Amino acid sequence: MAIIVTFDIPGVGQELYDACVSRLTDGGEFTSLADVPAPGLVSHAAGPADGGWRIVDVWESEEALENFAKVLQPLLADLGHADVEPRIIPAYNVVTR
C-alpha cells in the first residue's frame, strides 16, 4: 500500500536540503526520481514551510521507505539532524503524470 511521508524540519532551510541531495546524488542534482538511490519513491516535493523545511514524498510501501531510511538516517545524523522523524499516513489515492 502506498504511503505519504512528510518531514518537517524546524529551523533549517534549503542549505540542509541541498547538502542531503548532494550526498545522495554524489554531487549531482535531483531533477528525476532516478537521481537518488530510492527504489519505490513515487513522488517528491520540498520547500520552505513554517520556519523550517518540509519534504513530502509518496512511497510505494512502508518497506521501500524503510530501505531508503537506511541510507538517509546516517546522512542526516552526520549533518546534525538525527532527530528528524517522518509523519507517515496511508495514501488513499495517488495520481501521477
Side-chain angles (χ1 to χ4, degrees):
M1 170 199 283
I3 58 172
I4 301 166
V5 181
T6 306
F7 292 90
D8 285 306
I9 311 170
V12 302
Q14 184 175 340
E15 298 80 22
L16 175 65
Y17 178 79
D18 288 345
C20 285
V21 167
S22 180
R23 290 183 184 202
L24 287 170
T25 63
D26 292 324
E29 294 183 347
F30 184 13
T31 58
S32 164
L33 295 178
D35 292 337
V36 295
L41 181 61
V42 175
S43 68
H44 172 85
D50 302 326
W53 200 256
R54 178 171 294 151
I55 299 163
V56 180
D57 290 342
V58 175
W59 288 86
E60 290 176 354
S61 67
E62 201 157 344
E63 180 182 7
L65 172 63
E66 289 169 2
N67 288 334
F68 180 63
K70 293 173 187 171
V71 174
L72 182 63
Q73 288 299 337
L75 191 151
L76 286 172
D78 190 46
L79 293 170
H81 293 278
D83 59 342
V84 175
E85 290 291 326
R87 179 170 181 243
I88 302 169
I89 60 172
Y92 171 74
N93 188 21
V94 178
V95 178
T96 60
R97 187 174 288 221

